[in-house]
Amino acid sequence: MAFDLAARLAERRAADLYRQRPLLETPQGPEVVVDGQPLLAFCSNDYLGLANHPEVIKAWRDGAERWGVGGGASHLVIGHSTPHHQVEEALAELTGRPRALLFSTGYMANLGAITALVGQGDTVLQDRLNHASLLDGGLLSGARFSRYLHNDPASLASRLDKASGNTLVVTDGVFSMDGDCADLPALAKVARARGAWLMVDDAHGLGTLGANGGGLVEHHGLGLEDVPVLIGTLGKACGTSGAFVAGSEALIEALVQFARPYIYTTSQPPALACATLKALALLRRESWRREHLAALIGQFREGAEQIGLTLMDSHTAIQPILVGDAGRAMALSRMLRERGLLVTAIRPPTVPAGSARLRVTLSAAHSEAQVQLLLNALAECYPQLESADA
């Protein structure tokens, strides 16, 4: 029997769930050209505006001059260069952990950490709204897998009572599609009381939260005993690429020995690590970026409330506008694009059925005037969407 891929694709189109890749023809930034059209973008995770920063670009260029462009081999063969090591030391300092381990992608970091820590006879418990990479890691680990109610310590506690073997509790720090933050102090308390380890993927909190940009864990002042396994990514607020796991000496050594996505892949380009080092320095030094971003978030939420938009419980750079139906979300996204604004519609299966939304992401590179342009367009378009449904 042949694979009927055409039928599967047609079915996805009919359900308004077909995905296409927009072609970006400029560097990351608020003003971009996508598919030949100049647009003001509100859909990038470049939260601090570092992806096209001249000092970061120069660090990459200088790094390539000194270190070449390829990692050459895996970290355990001959691919672990001085810039990689320096990034790990900088990340350990930023997160307040003894050590950090550099991965090529966030997906690999999550798969590597979970599958190295738990297996058959163990238990992994995850928030229902965790990122796909976390869920995949849990399923691939072979451990008993269960999901607790979103951000609900009581639900987690009831599942912990039934856990067996080594138990790993896994949560996003900032949830990527809702923008809300995990109640880390409560989750850590529940996990510690039952001898479980808490693993936090702070991909969307690192750089934007915490006095020094250390993320949600720093914001709450949680130590190594509260969050033994901390994940962060470098392709969002840092503006470069890659990811890391931070934790104890024993944790990092265990991952070096047992994390297959780390062991069996070529290291990232050393020049990329040079760029990341510069981005981390800017992230820590230029606190005005976090302050400006926080002001834009307040501006957007206040303006959206006046328009009557349904926002979600988020005070982060991720500001979803809940629409509900996938077709309506696509229609609103198209209306904004016709007015020169790029805001991506997020549909199932990325989010639950009936909760399609426009995922607005704000950046320190945006100006107040640009955020006001978005609000003005939403004030014009949203009533038209509502009237079309009537």
Side-chain angles (χ1 to χ4, degrees):
M1 180 183 295
F3 290 96
D4 194 354
L5 299 182
R8 291 173 62 186
L9 293 172
E11 183 179 330
R12 177 152 284 204
R13 282 186 188 275
D16 288 317
L17 300 179
Y18 200 81
R19 294 168 172 169
Q20 293 175 289
R21 299 180 299 175
L23 182 60
L24 179 66
E25 300 170 35
T26 52
Q28 290 289 336
E31 296 179 356
V32 297
V33 176
V34 175
D35 297 326
Q37 181 183 3
L39 294 165
L40 178 58
F42 289 94
C43 52
S44 172
N45 293 332
D46 181 26
Y47 299 130
L48 296 183
L50 296 177
N52 194 34
H53 194 287
E55 289 186 42
V56 178
I57 294 171
K58 183 177 185 300
W60 194 325
R61 183 182 296 118
D62 292 346
E65 287 285 348
R66 179 175 179 187
W67 297 98
V69 296
S74 69
H75 286 273
L76 292 174
V77 178
I78 196 175
H80 187 66
S81 65
T82 299
H84 296 137
H85 202 70
Q86 291 172 333
V87 166
E88 290 180 344
E89 291 176 334
L91 289 167
E93 183 181 358
L94 175 64
T95 58
R97 265 61 186 161
R99 283 186 64 185
L101 189 68
L102 186 62
F103 282 76
S104 294
T105 69
Y107 219 109
M108 291 173 63
N110 284 335
L111 292 183
I114 295 173
T115 56
L117 291 173
V118 292
Q120 288 189 352
D122 298 325
T123 303
V124 59
L125 302 175
Q126 300 212 21
D127 189 291
R128 282 192 172 276
L129 297 187
N130 273 353
H131 188 267
S133 60
L134 295 172
L135 301 177
D136 287 353
L139 292 169
L140 288 169
S141 71
R144 181 183 177 191
F145 179 87
S146 179
R147 291 193 280 180
Y148 59 90
L149 297 177
H150 176 53
N151 218 0
D152 188 331
S155 175
L156 171 61
S158 69
R159 282 162 174 75
L160 280 168
D161 288 338
K162 303 168 188 172
S164 58
N166 292 320
T167 302
L168 187 65
V169 176
V170 183
T171 183
D172 276 321
V174 175
F175 290 89
S176 60
M177 292 300 131
D178 287 27
D180 59 332
C181 296
D183 186 355
L184 294 188
L187 296 174
K189 183 178 179 180
V190 169
R192 286 185 65 183
R194 289 160 176 79
W197 272 20
L198 178 61
M199 170 176 156
V200 177
D201 178 2
D202 204 22
H204 296 272
L206 186 81
T208 63
L209 302 176
N212 299 303
L216 188 62
V217 173
E218 183 198 13
H219 172 76
H220 285 299
L222 299 176
L224 193 60
E225 292 185 353
D226 301 301
V227 182
V229 188
L230 175 59
I231 312 286
T233 57
L234 306 171
K236 299 177 177 66
C238 288
T240 57
S241 184
F244 66 92
V245 182
S248 67
E249 179 81 25
L251 171 68
I252 300 308
E253 279 303 309
L255 295 180
V256 170
Q257 301 302 320
F258 303 116
R260 293 168 66 86
Y262 178 80
I263 297 167
Y264 297 108
T265 193
T266 299
S267 65
Q268 65 174 222
L272 171 58
C274 294
T276 297
L277 271 175
K278 175 57 68 176
L280 288 170
L282 292 168
L283 180 154
R284 299 191 71 174
R285 184 172 74 237
E286 298 184 349
S287 57
W288 65 263
R289 294 178 183 274
R290 283 182 288 281
E291 294 162 7
H292 179 57
L293 179 59
L296 295 181
I297 293 166
Q299 177 193 357
F300 177 79
R301 290 191 67 85
E302 181 179 352
E305 185 178 343
Q306 293 173 358
I307 296 169
L309 302 176
T310 303
L311 297 183
M312 304 186 78
D313 184 22
S314 168
H315 294 278
T316 68
I318 301 166
Q319 291 294 318
I321 302 170
L322 189 61
V323 177
D325 176 73
R328 293 179 76 241
M330 291 293 290
L332 183 55
S333 179
R334 283 193 298 269
M335 292 165 71
L336 291 174
R337 184 158 180 161
E338 289 167 1
R339 289 158 178 79
L341 295 152
L342 185 62
V343 185
T344 305
I346 305 296
R347 298 157 287 163
T350 305
V351 295
S355 69
R357 74 229 22 208
L358 262 59
R359 182 179 181 267
V360 173
T361 52
L362 300 171
S363 167
H366 285 123
S367 67
E368 291 182 7
Q370 288 171 331
V371 172
Q372 191 58 52
L373 281 172
L374 173 62
L375 289 168
N376 292 345
L378 285 166
E380 180 184 350
C381 296
Y382 192 70
Q384 294 180 30
L385 188 71
E386 295 289 285
S387 62
D389 294 336

